[in-house]
Amino acid sequence: MEQQETTKAPEYFTTTTTTTTTEVVSIPVTPRMSTPEGLTPSGTRSPNSRRPMMKSSSNAWTPTSLISPRFLSPIGTPMKKVYINMKSYLEEVGHLTKLNSQDAWLPITESRNGNAHYAAFHNLNAGIGFQALLLPVAFSYLGWSWGMISLTITYVWQLYTLWILVQLHEAVPGKRYNRYVELAQAAFGERLGLWLALFPTIYLSAGTATALILIGGETMKLFFQIVCGPLCTTNPLTTIEWYLVFTTLCVVLSQLPNLNSIAGLSLIGAVTAITYSTMVWVLSVSQPRPPSLSYQPLSSPSFSTSVFSVMNALGIVAFAFRGHNLALEIQSTMPSTFKHPAHVPMWRGAKIAYWLIAMCVFPVSIGGFWAYGNLMPAGGILNALYVFHSQDIPRVLLAATFLLVVFNCLSSFQIYSMPVFDSFEAGYTSRTNRPCSLWVRSGFRIFCGFISFFIGIALPFLSSIAGLMGGLTLPVTFAYPCFMWILIKKPQKFSFNWYFNWTLGWLGVAFSLAFSIGGVWSMVNSGMKLKFFKPN
């Protein structure tokens, strides 16, 4: 007489055992996905409520710790095959990550099919853009020596802290820190971490989106003037109307659902940023330099004014590398297994991205300051190119440069606004315990876009706000990762690693205070009248 019994295993594997009087046969079923996080496919709007949550154990437990030769030795051969199959599968899956059902509803973690190429696209789109065009402005206050020293130190410093964030993404077995705020809460505590990280990350995202609206709108206006020429003299759009046109385009593109879905836009943003950065400095150095040019730092009427100007310039340099608030979010879009952890493709893509970023920011800084010196306008090298050489450069080439800037600003707006969208939707889903509908999600994104538009109208200046943003958000890039490494990894006290990270962390906090003061002084000194472009 045969008796058939089917036992249901946990959700990450299913084993069907058929028992007869003579034999036991184990038939493992191939898992559906390679990682627990990937069980929610791209585009799924809600998690499976019937799926039980796997609990991750404490530090010493591993998925195969109970499956050892000693444990298997008294068991018969058929049952041993079952456990061996279980062991091989668990080793393939790796950490049994504790899932958060809400992650399947939010735009950052909704899709987990990213790879090293996506990581390179996103890091390039976030790490290079309009902020590189302002670096020659900082050089006009710092001069050759201090400008190069500060730019080199800043680049190396932020590359080290980026490596820290990539490594800390899965620092605790069975846990992925999908957002910068989550990692800060794990390091500093729930409440303190929220207060320390939430404001600068949201401020950085919203402030960058506002600056992008300013630059995109002004650049669209100049592009239209260059293309139309004399025909544009009758009833042209005002600057605020161009801001509105650019904001509307950003809002339309922001309807893409999640971070992985904008990988194509990030690729466009990366290609356009590299292209126009190269074109701008090549066109600048190929033209005759303006007369009465000097490479001496700009003089100030008093010592205090000079100090504040230098602090604001260093804040602009810090703001040029402001993409770390997106590093964990980008890494969270990738699948992760024990044999193939997410930090490997993430770091591979980040290395390629930041090598290309260095190939852009250093030539722009050096070439722009060489071409214009202390005559550099407050709006940056693109403004200088228009002011000094708009009559010398062919209109087609100049218009193509401005059009590339517009495309890059549209793409960068999407990736920098994504954490803001994610925060709005997280608040909604936590209160209602259901995913955002299409209309609710669209409403949040329209609201965020036009809030940035109104802020841009109220604060129509860039170089001053860039210094302030660099100061206020500097801990996100340069200080917090060092403290997080100490608190989570716990290196040996008084070791080189311990001293090194503590020193970098406190230096970052001190620089943040100094640069913020310089940015506030620059805003007050400008009288809130400074524009990014001042075309004739």
Side-chain angles (χ1 to χ4, degrees), residues 252-268:
V252 171
L253 290 175
S254 69
Q255 302 308 312
L256 292 171
N258 53 62
L259 190 56
N260 267 339
S261 66
I262 65 170
L265 286 177
S266 291
L267 175 59
I268 294 174

Side-chain angles (χ1 to χ4, degrees), residues 27-294:
I27 307 175
V29 178
T30 304
R32 291 172 294 175
M33 300 291 290
S34 62
T35 176
E37 296 87 354
L39 287 171
T40 302
S42 174
T44 300
R45 298 296 300 134
S46 63
N48 189 348
S49 59
R50 297 174 298 176
R51 185 176 297 147
M53 302 291 288
M54 295 297 294
K55 296 183 179 181
S56 60
S57 276
S58 58
N59 300 332
W61 188 86
T62 61
T64 59
S65 58
L66 295 179
I67 307 175
S68 62
R70 184 177 179 182
F71 178 73
L72 293 175
S73 58
I75 302 178
T77 301
M79 187 61 68
K80 185 184 295 186
K81 291 181 179 179
V82 175
Y83 280 101
I84 290 174
N85 288 329
M86 292 168 56
K87 177 181 178 181
S88 62
Y89 173 68
L90 290 176
E91 287 178 344
E92 174 65 24
V93 170
H95 304 299
L96 294 180
T97 304
K98 185 178 180 179
L99 299 177
N100 181 3
S101 59
Q102 190 183 11
D103 280 346
W105 297 337
L106 301 179
I108 287 178
T109 50
E110 188 178 56
S111 171
R112 293 194 187 266
N113 59 357
N115 50 45
H117 299 91
Y118 285 17
F121 301 158
H122 289 317
N123 278 285
L124 271 171
N125 193 25
I128 188 172
F130 73 93
Q131 71 278 9
L133 304 178
L134 297 174
L135 286 172
V137 179
F139 272 57
S140 65
Y141 289 97
L142 300 173
W144 278 118
S145 300
W146 286 109
M148 286 300 303
I149 291 172
S150 61
L151 183 61
T152 304
I153 292 176
T154 303
Y155 178 81
V156 175
W157 191 346
Q158 62 85 32
L159 196 61
Y160 170 68
T161 53
L162 177 64
W163 176 84
I164 287 179
L165 292 176
V166 171
Q167 298 300 316
L168 290 181
H169 178 75
E170 295 176 284
V172 178
K175 172 67 177 177
R176 294 184 70 176
Y177 299 110
N178 296 315
R179 296 162 183 85
Y180 196 100
V181 176
E182 293 178 9
L183 183 61
Q185 289 179 310
F188 303 119
E190 290 287 332
R191 181 167 298 181
L192 181 60
L194 183 65
W195 281 103
L196 289 177
L198 184 62
F199 170 74
T201 53
I202 296 298
Y203 174 77
L204 181 57
S205 296
T208 303
T210 301
L212 287 167
I213 289 176
L214 295 178
I215 300 167
E218 291 279 6
T219 310
M220 289 181 70
K221 178 181 178 181
L222 289 178
F223 171 77
F224 192 70
Q225 290 177 353
I226 293 171
V227 171
C228 293
L231 300 177
C232 298
T233 55
T234 58
N235 298 325
L237 294 179
T238 64
T239 302
I240 294 179
E241 289 172 337
W242 281 111
Y243 291 164
L244 183 60
V245 171
F246 183 82
T247 304
T248 304
L249 293 176
C250 289
V251 168
V252 171
L253 290 175
S254 69
Q255 302 308 312
L256 292 171
N258 53 62
L259 190 56
N260 267 339
S261 66
I262 65 170
L265 286 177
S266 291
L267 175 59
I268 294 174
V271 172
T272 53
I274 294 172
T275 305
Y276 77 68
S277 297
T278 305
M279 290 177 64
V280 163
W281 74 262
V282 169
L283 291 174
S284 297
V285 300
S286 63
Q287 299 297 322
R289 288 180 289 178
S292 67
L293 179 145
S294 174

Side-chain angles (χ1 to χ4, degrees), residues 18 21 29 32 54 89 167 216 284 288 300 312 318 352 377 406 423 425 427 430 442 476 478 487 489 500 507 514:
T18 304
T21 57
V29 178
R32 291 172 294 175
M54 295 297 294
Y89 173 68
Q167 298 300 316
S284 297
S300 301
N312 184 59
I352 296 173
V406 173
S423 298
E425 294 187 30
S430 62
S442 298
V476 173
F478 298 96
L487 295 174
K489 287 295 187 178
F500 183 70
L507 279 176

Side-chain angles (χ1 to χ4, degrees), residues 24 70 109 138 297 366 376 401 473:
V24 178
R70 184 177 179 182
T109 50
I366 298 170
M376 176 66 62
T401 304
T473 60

